[in-house]
Amino acid sequence: MATKQKLIVEVVDARNLLPKDGHGSSSPYVVIDFYGQRKRTRSAIRDLNPAWNETLEFNVGKPSNVFGDMLELEVFHDKNHGPTRRINHLGRLKLSSSQFVRRGEEALIYYPLEKKYALSFIQGDIGLKIYYQDEVIPPPPPPQPAAAQEEEAKAGTKQESPPPQPAEEAAVTAESEALQPPEAQKSDAEAGATTEPNKEQPAEEAKSNEEPPAQAEAEAPAASPPPPPPDNVPAPESDVAPSPSPQGLSGKNKEDPSPTSTAVNEPVQEDGDDIDLELPSSKWGPAPPEIMAASTGSFPDIQVSGMNAPRPIIRPVLAPTSNYTLEPQESISIERSAFDLVEKMHYLFVRVVKARHLPTSGNPVVRIEVSNSRVQSKPARKTSCFEWDQTFAFGRDAPDSSSVVEISVWDPHGPNSSEMAAAANFLGGICFDVTEIPLRDPPDSPLAPQWYRLEGGGAYRSDLMLATWVGTQADESFPDAWKTDTAGNINSRAKVYQSPKLWYLRATVIEAQDIFPLTPLKETAVQVKAQLGLQVQKTKTSVSRNGTPSWNEDLLFVAAEPSSDQLIFTLENRLPKGLVTVGMVMIPLKVIERRVDDRKVASRWFSLEDPKSEKVGYRGRVHLRLCFDGGYHVMDEAAHMISDYRPTARQLWKQPVGAFELGIIGCKNLSPMKTVDGKGCTDAYCVAKYGPKWVRTRTVCDSLDPKWNEQYTWKVYDPCTVLTIGVFDSSGVYEIDDDKSATRPHFRMGKVRVRISTLETGKVYRNRYPLILLTNNGVKKMGEIEVAVKFVRATPTLDFLHVYTQPLLPLMHHMKPLGVVQQELLRNTAAKIIATHLSRSEPSLRREVVFYMLDVDSHAFSMRKIRANWIRIINVIASVIDIVRWIDDTRVWKNPMSTILVHALLIMLVWFPDLIVPTLAFYMFVIGAWNYRFRSREPLPHFDPKLSLADTVDRDELDEEFDTVSSSRPPEMVRARYDKLRMLGARVQTVLGDFATQGERLQAMVTWRDPRATGIFVGLCFVVAMVLYMVPSKMVAMASGFYFFRHPIFRDRMPSPAVNFFRRLPSLSDRMM
């Protein structure tokens, strides 16, 4: 059924509006403009916090230059209420249509009202629910046959005053009559003769005759699909009745023969036709938007013999053998890009559509032989013709590429035990010279398939419809085509995946009542267990005497959309014998409310039921507050390598700041990952992940230097994000029929990360990066990957720089922050949900691939990472250590000239303290400008084995790092590792004790634990305060500076009295047991 899209705006309420009626109040109403449509709400009389609760509907039209996609909302004061006679403006709001969601995803959002003028004062928020909704359009009535139309016409002539026809039906009838073939416009005598053939017209003809009227086309949205044909359309019979011509060729007689149709070696049309109009099924290729908006099915494809087609050549037909047998393929949608970052790979495309008049009753196959590649199609589907509709892509980069394409049709059901029987099994063939095949490069239109007469074999007047052309990987037929470098495996195709939409589900367990109505008053320990799928969480144990325990605890879960799961709450009583289930309640996720901020959600009481009894009985009730928190970003990656910071709720998304293009060119010198037929080989494919979008290249079989040359594009919402690219080896390419191949893992070969903020705008980075893999045997270089990346900024410079001042995570992460441990548990859960979702795709993205891309095990214990992080800390504070050393060298007059300059600087800053901050800022500028000369010259940063200490790590530490959580090593090895860990823990224990001691000494200065020391410190503070009251602060600062930088001849080698006094202060270390 055809649908019409509408935008629904629910105006709920407003808060804290300005008083504008002169009596301290306002009578507000709301006016909304969208796509040339204006609607308003009622006026709320004298209410600064009005509640309208009105729903306004707007029609969604096609993109236009006249009407924008912005929704404009304005709040006014009604002048009819109150002494004022002006329509005062209370605020306005502009929203982009990209923020709107489908029905079911909407949530109540309070938007702050904005100013209309720069000097106006506006305050308050307005609460809205905005979403798209599809409205079903009733299909137009099917056109009547020609005989029925003429009978109605005869009956209509007998009526003196026929009833008026509606305008919509008149438009449908007029358009249907204009598209009728010439046979339907004959006289009454010929109408009876043509009635029978009209019953067998193909379904495509019925589709073309059922175009919607112009009025319905204008109301239908641009993205809505065309209505399907009615159920009573007859099956296509192209041999019985010809297909109708399009409107542009309706006046041309199709049966007029053309002289070119009788030429030798030309493509032959049936019955000498010159123009053959076919209505291919919609899966042959998507129609242009203009045609899709005006038609209800696929558009006609014009095929002219002898035009844009290669001439077949006559040669003896061989009996080719097939190396691969194709399986039915599913159409996949991969967004096309300009392919300007990768190299063009030329392919010879052969599209086999269908055949007719074949002397067989079975399911014939088509065999194609080009150079060393031989392929066999799937068995034909038998309708009015023999249909295949398959596309084959043969690589043309090899130097031994043949110049002849041989296409033959075979009947596999015939006997093939002898050569004569094999010859009888051959139905016909055709050959093409590759040099005469046309070259097609998008944005050229798809090449129309044409009929070719089969030669040889047992066929007589048999035709094969096909199309051949030379194209590149940018061709729209390339993703679904059989390819020579993928060995014909349907799981080797490139595909784009989308992560499921994840939500945080917050369940607040408040209290329970009436859970023990018949038991005596005694203490009972009760807890609540909540389960969502495989996620299980429990509240703390609540001890109650009256059967009314309370918890007030928040439990967070990760839920995927769409989900049919239920949230199960189980009330458990902790007894000495064990846990006893008191009651259970199951809540569908569809009934849970969604929110995008921290507003309070209404709580509800749920009755508990006995899970062991089929009878519905009252077991008490539990008080819960449930909601989906759409204001959070559900993390699936580590915080330091995250690729997206957007919240779950689409209403909170901002406009993208740019676009990122990735060209995956290929790999070099890959390591063999497995052995097939005694030879090492690798079946490599590449996976890239940025945000919720995953891409997978095709699997290049049996190649250590695979070439993909695929290009993909992502929208960038935050430049401080990371793109991850990984290379894997597929394990099931040659063992398609082996059941064990489905359980064999895909081996990782390394990955590369690219931080978007390190890329210059508009610059193309094309480089090779080493694929370094850390295993339990050490670091191993698996090869090199060559990629090209490009970032294009889509916003003004100031808006782009303004992004750096915004918080990384959404607002809810700061209003109600999540704990570090809790967030890590939720991240692991989200990664498992994504892996399960992507593993169900076809072709699937394996769980081990998803876990490796998301770094699920990045927080596992590793002695190597501990030492590496310690070295990173030392490198960070190295600059501070250098400053301390320089001050000490200046203090001891190691460089007298430098010390004298420091004295002069000290005098200047003391007497002119206003120069302190500018001097520091200028000093930082000088340091940054000086370091610009020594900036990194690397094209893009990648994994550094030296920084990770991966090249110098001990073999035993690597084995410990890759060991499972429940160790699988021998007890002696586990005991040795435990003793080593205890020694490291002792060092950490000593350092932590030293830090605690220094802090306790600071506290002891004023806590009178040592009365004498505290008395000395307090008295000294009083003396210093009196001196500073009487002596100017500049003199004190200058004297202190000169004393600190005094010459070594005036120094004592012993520690200063202040240090000695601090070290004598007591701490709590003497009380430690």
Side-chain angles (χ1 to χ4, degrees), residues 488-524:
N489 187 8
I490 61 174
N491 292 326
S492 301
R493 295 173 296 167
K495 191 167 184 180
V496 176
Y497 304 85
Q498 197 74 14
S499 296
K501 192 173 184 179
L502 301 179
W503 294 77
Y504 280 151
L505 173 58
R506 184 183 297 272
T508 304
V509 184
I510 303 176
E511 59 178 342
Q513 291 183 356
D514 305 333
I515 58 174
F516 300 110
L518 301 179
T519 57
L521 294 178
K522 61 180 181 179
E523 289 188 356
T524 56

Side-chain angles (χ1 to χ4, degrees), residues 691-767:
K693 179 180 176 181
W694 301 65
V695 298
R696 169 181 173 167
T697 65
R698 66 187 186 276
T699 304
V700 178
C701 302
D702 194 13
S703 176
L704 300 182
D705 299 321
K707 288 286 186 180
W708 293 293
N709 285 305
E710 299 181 15
Q711 186 168 337
Y712 302 92
T713 305
W714 286 268
K715 291 182 180 180
V716 177
Y717 293 86
D718 195 308
C720 301
T721 47
V722 178
L723 169 77
T724 305
I725 310 168
V727 181
F728 302 88
D729 172 67
S730 179
S731 61
V733 175
Y734 289 101
E735 299 174 346
I736 302 176
D737 298 331
D738 188 3
D739 295 334
K740 297 181 180 180
S741 63
T743 60
R744 294 178 180 176
H746 288 197
F747 298 102
R748 59 184 71 173
M749 301 187 68
K751 59 184 174 183
V752 177
R753 294 195 185 103
V754 178
R755 184 168 289 274
I756 309 299
S757 59
T758 60
L759 305 179
E760 298 181 12
T761 302
K763 182 179 179 180
V764 178
Y765 297 82
R766 178 171 177 173
N767 299 283

Side-chain angles (χ1 to χ4, degrees), residues 568-642:
I568 304 174
F569 290 91
T570 305
L571 194 64
E572 299 177 342
N573 184 16
R574 299 178 65 91
L575 298 177
K577 298 180 180 180
L579 294 176
V580 176
T581 301
V582 178
M584 178 184 297
V585 59
M586 304 176 67
I587 305 173
L589 297 184
K590 298 180 180 179
V591 302
I592 299 178
E593 185 180 353
R594 302 183 181 188
R595 70 175 184 180
V596 297
D597 49 15
D598 62 337
R599 63 181 178 86
K600 282 287 186 180
V601 178
S603 59
R604 294 175 55 190
W605 287 94
F606 296 90
S607 298
L608 297 173
E609 299 177 358
D610 189 0
K612 300 180 181 179
S613 176
E614 298 181 356
K615 298 181 181 180
V616 178
Y618 181 71
R619 306 280 296 182
R621 59 178 185 169
V622 62
H623 195 194
L624 304 174
R625 181 182 292 114
L626 307 175
C627 67
F628 284 107
D629 275 334
Y632 288 96
H633 168 70
V634 182
M635 289 190 177
D636 56 353
E637 302 166 299
H640 58 278
M641 59 187 70
I642 200 168

Side-chain angles (χ1 to χ4, degrees), residues 158 189 200 473 539 572 768 838 879 1072:
K158 298 178 182 180
E200 299 177 355
Q473 73 271 28
T539 63
E572 299 177 342
R768 292 183 182 177
L838 297 181
S879 58
M1072 292 286 295

Side-chain angles (χ1 to χ4, degrees), residues 301-357:
D301 200 357
I302 303 178
Q303 300 136 12
V304 183
S305 71
M307 296 177 59
N308 299 328
R311 295 167 56 94
I313 59 178
I314 301 176
R315 61 176 296 174
V317 180
L318 302 177
T321 60
S322 61
N323 293 340
Y324 314 109
T325 300
L326 294 185
E327 299 290 338
Q329 298 182 355
E330 299 176 357
S331 61
I332 55 177
S333 59
I334 297 181
E335 61 181 50
R336 313 310 301 168
S337 57
F339 283 85
D340 55 345
L341 301 181
V342 297
E343 303 170 356
K344 286 188 176 182
M345 301 178 66
H346 290 87
Y347 288 87
L348 172 62
F349 290 89
V350 178
R351 178 186 175 192
V352 181
V353 183
K354 57 184 176 180
R356 60 186 177 186
H357 301 158

Side-chain angles (χ1 to χ4, degrees), residues 347-403:
Y347 288 87
L348 172 62
F349 290 89
V350 178
R351 178 186 175 192
V352 181
V353 183
K354 57 184 176 180
R356 60 186 177 186
H357 301 158
L358 293 179
T360 179
S361 60
N363 301 103
V365 296
V366 176
R367 297 178 182 177
I368 305 174
E369 182 174 359
V370 180
S371 300
N372 296 327
S373 299
R374 301 175 183 178
V375 61
Q376 176 176 303
S377 72
K378 62 183 180 182
R381 302 184 306 272
K382 188 171 181 182
T383 56
S384 60
C385 301
F386 299 93
E387 296 183 2
W388 292 278
D389 193 14
Q390 285 187 270
T391 305
F392 307 89
F394 300 90
R396 301 298 298 167
D397 296 332
D400 57 344
S401 299
S402 175
S403 61

Side-chain angles (χ1 to χ4, degrees), residues 948-964:
S948 306
L949 300 181
D951 51 353
T952 59
V953 67
D954 185 61
R955 183 67 60 86
D956 183 67
E957 293 182 358
L958 277 178
D959 185 75
E960 180 183 7
E961 182 176 347
F962 285 91
D963 192 9
T964 58

